[in-house]
Amino acid sequence: MSLLHQRLVGATLLAAWLALGAAVAAPPVQSVAKVDLGRYAGTWYELARLPNRFQDQCVGDVSATYSPNPDGSMGVVNRCRKANGDIDRIEGRATLAAGDTSGAKLKVSFLPSWLQWFPVGRGDYWVVLLDPEYRYAVVSEPGREYLWILARTPAMDAPAYEAVVDQLRAGGYPVDQLVRTPHSTIPSPTAKQVQRLLWMGAGPAAPRRVAL
């Protein structure tokens, strides 16, 4: 076996060992024990996220507004500022995951309203960290592919933010890939605007983007 061959084999084995070690070290994703969806409702500002293709158009001012529906589901309005200054919006619906009574595991669909009852096209939305006073929250899913750090205000003091990141790092999340979200003074939608946007989303046209 040549020296080059030995080095290639060694590098491959090292990479496999590191990957196996990372998989073993990362515990299964756990949601929080309980989420009061009534308290969770309202507007959350995105402070940071793992990069994802659904938000490629978003350069800042990312927020999500949740409104309780009579059937127990939650209306969702996501918005962000694009590079040209326009505001991008998308409306959806969040429902409890099958068998979950904690309120911490939701299924979110951004399909047209007449398709949102079908199981296809619904993504996992797990609340994995939640401040007791509902001042900040972290949302992810079982594969750790998506991650959002949210807060009730567009900013969080540095020590509190770093404490959240440290908890996520200990939980096996790739926090070194987090992208911080800048915010300007664009106001969040009012409750009346949210309801109007949800009503407008009842048409057959599919939304363009999926965010939080």
Side-chain angles (χ1 to χ4, degrees):
M1 182 182 292
S2 67
L3 180 59
L4 177 59
H5 191 193
Q6 290 177 354
R7 288 178 175 175
L8 288 174
V9 171
T12 301
L13 291 174
L14 177 60
W17 180 81
L18 290 173
L20 178 62
V24 172
V29 174
Q30 299 288 334
S31 62
V32 298
K34 184 70 175 177
V35 175
D36 181 338
L37 294 179
R39 293 184 67 187
Y40 196 83
T43 297
W44 292 89
Y45 297 90
E46 179 191 278
L47 302 186
R49 67 176 181 266
L50 289 180
N52 66 75
R53 63 185 178 87
F54 304 118
Q55 291 179 266
D56 284 345
Q57 83 283 15
C58 298
V59 299
D61 296 313
V62 182
S63 67
T65 300
Y66 304 95
S67 303
N69 293 323
D71 64 357
S73 66
M74 299 278 282
V76 184
V77 176
N78 289 344
R79 66 198 304 267
C80 74
R81 175 171 47 82
K82 299 191 294 184
N84 64 1
D86 290 345
I87 301 300
D88 198 23
R89 295 181 177 88
I90 185 170
E91 303 86 46
R93 180 172 175 268
T95 56
L96 291 176
D100 179 69
T101 58
S102 69
K105 295 180 179 180
L106 301 173
K107 289 284 189 178
V108 179
S109 173
F110 291 93
L111 294 172
S113 59
W114 57 279
L115 286 175
Q116 290 176 2
W117 298 96
F118 290 87
V120 296
R122 295 193 296 168
D124 288 308
Y125 181 110
W126 288 18
V127 181
V128 297
L129 286 178
L130 181 62
D131 174 61
E133 300 302 321
Y134 287 65
R135 293 170 298 186
Y136 66 80
V138 177
V139 174
S140 186
E141 39 71 47
R144 292 186 177 84
E145 182 178 358
Y146 301 104
L147 182 70
W148 294 272
I149 300 177
L150 311 174
R152 290 299 195 182
T153 57
M156 179 187 292
D157 64 87
Y161 177 83
E162 291 303 326
V164 170
V165 172
D166 287 344
Q167 291 183 67
L168 294 172
R169 181 180 292 107
Y173 291 91
V175 295
D176 292 338
Q177 300 175 31
L178 282 170
V179 176
R180 296 296 295 267
T181 307
H183 285 273
S184 62
T185 57
I186 296 176
S188 60
T190 65
K192 182 178 293 186
Q193 290 172 327
V194 168
Q195 291 301 320
R196 180 173 179 271
L197 287 170
L198 292 174
W199 179 81
M200 291 172 61
R208 292 167 294 166
R209 301 285 182 176
V210 175
L212 304 184

